Amino acid sequence: SRSKTLFEEIRASVINNDDSNRSFWKPVLPWGGVFAIRAGRKAVSCIPLYVEISLKNTCSIDGFLMLLYVILRENSTFPRELSSYFGKEFIDHFLYLMDSYDFTTVKLLWIWNKMEKQQYKSKIHKASLEIDLFGNEHENFTKNLENLMSTVQESYCSSWKCPLRVQKDMQKTVTINPPSEIPHGDLIQQAVEEFFSSRLEKCEEYRCVGQRQFSQRIFCYGPPPFVILNMQQWKSEELAYVPYHLALSSHKYFLEGATLFNKEEHHYSAAFQIDG
C-alpha cells in the first residue's frame, strides 16, 4: 500500500490526540536543509562551483509554508482558486513536494519561484552554496503572495488648494495595529475594521488646511480565499484572546493558524489547527 501523505499523517495524529480540542500545535518544517546536486555524465569534465545547496535560518518561511499546505489540503477548492494567483504548475508541484516530505526542495521552490534575489543572502562556501533567509517572515513570505491580499483605499481632500486632492493608497499585505487604548471586545476584529473602514481626518499635505475623506478600503481582486494578518506591532500581553473567526469584507474567515516570534531566540515557530 502507498505511504501516507504528510497531511494524512497530521490528520491521524490529531484524531489520536487525547486533547479535547483536537488541535495540532507543533513547530513545523525542519529548520534549514541541504540539497545535493547530482551531476550528469556531461558535467564530469568540468569543475562545478558547488555540489550542494545549504539553507540557513529558514524559520522565516517554514511556518507559513506549512500553514499554506494545511490550508490547501483542508479546502478542496483552494488549489484551483489560488492557481490564478500563483500558477497551477507551482501549486501542483508545491503540494506534491509537501505530500512527499521533500521539505528542502519545497523551500527552494519558494525561494526561486516567489522570492526576489535581494530578499536573501547567498554565498559559496567550500563546495556549498549557502542561502541565508535570516529576516522578517512578512518580507520573505507574505509580500511574495502576488496580489492575493492587495487592497486599495481612495481619499479626497475638501480643499481645492490641496496639492494632491485625490490619492490612492495601495497595500499588498493586511497590516493591523494594536489599539492606542485598550477597548472592550474583540481587539483583532476592531483593528481589522479600522484598517478597512472609511474615516475623516485632517489633510497632511504641505500647508493644506482641508479635511481628507478616506473611502472604505477594498480588496483589489475580490476577497481572497485566505487572509494573513500582519501583527508585528502587537505584544503577547495584548493578545490574551484570539478569535476563531473574523468578519472581513462581507466574508467570514476561520482561524487556521498563527506564526509566533521569540525575541530572545530570534526564532519563528508556528501553530495550526485541523478540523477546528
Side-chain angles (χ1 to χ4, degrees):
S1 64
R2 71 171 179 84
S3 56
K4 286 183 179 177
T5 66
L6 173 62
F7 187 72
E8 288 167 341
E9 286 283 5
I10 293 170
R11 176 160 274 165
S13 175
V14 173
I15 292 169
N16 295 327
N17 187 358
D18 292 332
D19 194 353
S20 59
N21 65 12
R22 286 192 171 178
S23 290
F24 183 84
W25 297 85
K26 185 186 175 187
V28 291
L29 302 192
W31 189 84
V34 175
F35 183 86
I37 297 171
R38 297 175 183 85
R41 289 180 183 175
K42 291 181 181 178
V44 172
S45 58
C46 63
I47 300 170
L49 286 173
Y50 50 86
V51 293
E52 69 175 25
I53 300 171
S54 175
L55 303 180
K56 293 172 60 181
N57 295 310
T58 59
C59 68
S60 62
I61 62 171
D62 290 344
F64 274 133
L65 288 174
M66 191 66 181
L67 285 167
L68 179 61
Y69 174 64
V70 170
I71 288 168
L72 286 167
R73 278 287 173 244
E74 269 213 299
N75 301 275
S76 59
T77 62
F78 279 17
R80 180 176 51 80
E81 289 180 49
L82 289 172
S83 289
S84 61
Y85 293 97
F86 307 141
K88 186 177 184 302
E89 188 179 346
F90 173 84
I91 294 292
D92 290 346
H93 198 186
F94 173 79
L95 288 173
Y96 170 76
L97 292 171
M98 288 294 287
D99 282 342
S100 311
Y101 305 82
D102 197 347
F103 303 132
T104 300
T105 311
V106 89
K107 293 178 193 187
L108 285 171
L109 176 74
W110 181 262
I111 292 166
W112 285 335
N113 278 267
K114 299 300 174 190
M115 292 183 71
E116 301 288 342
K117 183 71 179 70
Q118 63 267 25
Q119 290 180 307
Y120 59 87
K121 293 177 182 175
S122 61
K123 66 178 181 179
I124 294 173
H125 179 68
K126 295 183 179 177
S128 174
L129 171 67
E130 289 186 356
I131 295 178
D132 190 345
L133 294 174
F134 182 82
N136 180 294
E137 62 182 353
H138 282 283
E139 293 292 334
N140 289 350
F141 189 88
T142 321
K143 285 189 176 178
N144 298 315
L145 290 172
E146 309 300 334
N147 292 312
L148 183 71
M149 291 178 291
S150 291
T151 61
V152 62
Q153 185 173 45
E154 295 182 343
S155 66
Y156 180 80
C157 182
S158 60
S159 171
W160 62 272
K161 291 182 178 179
C162 180
L164 203 58
R165 291 189 79 182
V166 180
Q167 296 179 14
K168 273 188 181 181
D169 178 53
M170 303 277 292
Q171 300 282 343
K172 284 196 77 172
T173 63
V174 179
T175 301
I176 61 173
N177 297 313
S180 51
E181 53 189 59
I182 303 298
H184 297 292
D186 185 340
L187 303 188
I188 295 177
Q189 179 69 61
Q190 290 181 35
V192 166
E193 288 171 2
E194 190 174 303
F195 178 77
F196 281 90
S197 67
S198 57
R199 65 186 190 277
L200 182 68
E201 57 186 50
K202 185 180 179 299
C203 183
E204 294 182 350
E205 290 299 316
Y206 182 62
R207 287 186 174 176
C208 183
V209 294
Q211 294 289 307
R212 183 162 291 278
Q213 177 69 54
F214 290 81
S215 67
Q216 190 169 6
R217 182 177 292 277
I218 59 170
F219 285 108
C220 297
Y221 303 97
F226 68 88
V227 172
I228 296 172
L229 300 181
N230 182 343
M231 300 176 64
Q232 294 176 98
Q233 304 302 318
W234 295 63
K235 298 182 181 129
S236 56
E237 56 266 26
E238 294 167 336
L239 288 170
Y241 168 75
V242 177
Y244 279 89
H245 52 81
L246 200 65
L248 175 57
S249 191
S250 304
H251 280 60
K252 193 174 186 178
Y253 289 89
F254 293 88
L255 178 68
E256 283 278 359
T259 57
L260 316 159
F261 182 65
N262 185 315
K263 281 189 176 178
E264 285 71 38
E265 298 176 7
H266 287 275
H267 183 67
Y268 287 104
S269 60
F272 57 91
Q273 62 173 11
I274 289 180
D275 301 329

